[in-house]
Amino acid sequence: NAGVTQTPKFRILKIGQSMTLQCTQDMNHNYMYWYRQDPGMGLKLIYYSVGAGITDKGEVPNGYNVSRSTTEDFPLRLELAAPSQTSVYFCASTQGGAKDEKLFFGSGTQLSVL
Amino acid sequence: RKEVEQDPGPFNVPEGATVAFNCTYSNSASQSFFWYRQDCRKEPKLLMSVYSSGNEDGRFTAQLNRASQYISLLIRDSKLSDSATYLCVVIFTASKLTFGTGTRLQVTL
């Protein structure tokens, strides 16, 4: 199993550009999450999904969109990149919800918006 | 008051020392608690779950105090390889996970 795979690892965007961060998992997990981590800060939840076709906002959803057409994939879309979206983005998954199970994280995407 | 608070450190300790971190949380209805380890520029990885009865994994001991609403992590006989940031995670529901900002540990020779 590859676990949780995120692409790209690094990306530089200009203000106003758009991009999609890809996240896929091969563990048949129901729950998937997108977090961002700013320097010296904890992880903040952007969006999450409890299964294919179901998504919901987290703590900091503004400026982002997600979709979950399959169990495996949970892409994160930035439509109009802003400098405030410069951060490290982590995708994570767990089978039945993180209450009792560990989160499996992808290796992260370092995004800079200039 | 923040939902989850941690002392950011850094904690600089010599090899072999014992070091303890605390993490306080504000929501008394929180259900599950974990410690994660994060190396520089890497993804967080689960270190251990935290239970009221306490749990131990080798040199690491985690404890939950529900009455005072904090969790703790004790590392005995610190190794250089323990140098990392330690994140506490407090879970209210499957979608309501709150990460602390992390406590940075630097173990030196």
Side-chain angles (χ1 to χ4, degrees), chain B residues 59-92:
Chain B
R59 298 180 292 107
F60 298 82
T61 300
Q63 190 78 45
L64 164 65
N65 185 318
R66 282 196 180 273
S68 300
Q69 294 182 209
Y70 75 86
I71 64 174
S72 63
L73 177 68
L74 181 77
I75 305 175
R76 291 181 299 277
D77 189 22
S78 299
K79 310 291 185 191
L80 291 174
S81 57
D82 294 334
S83 298
T85 296
Y86 291 85
L87 303 167
C88 67
V89 180
V90 176
I91 297 174
F92 182 60

Side-chain angles (χ1 to χ4, degrees), chain B residues 90-104:
Chain B
V90 176
I91 297 174
F92 182 60
T93 67
S95 59
K96 178 64 175 171
L97 298 79
T98 304
F99 284 78
T101 54
T103 297
R104 193 154 66 88

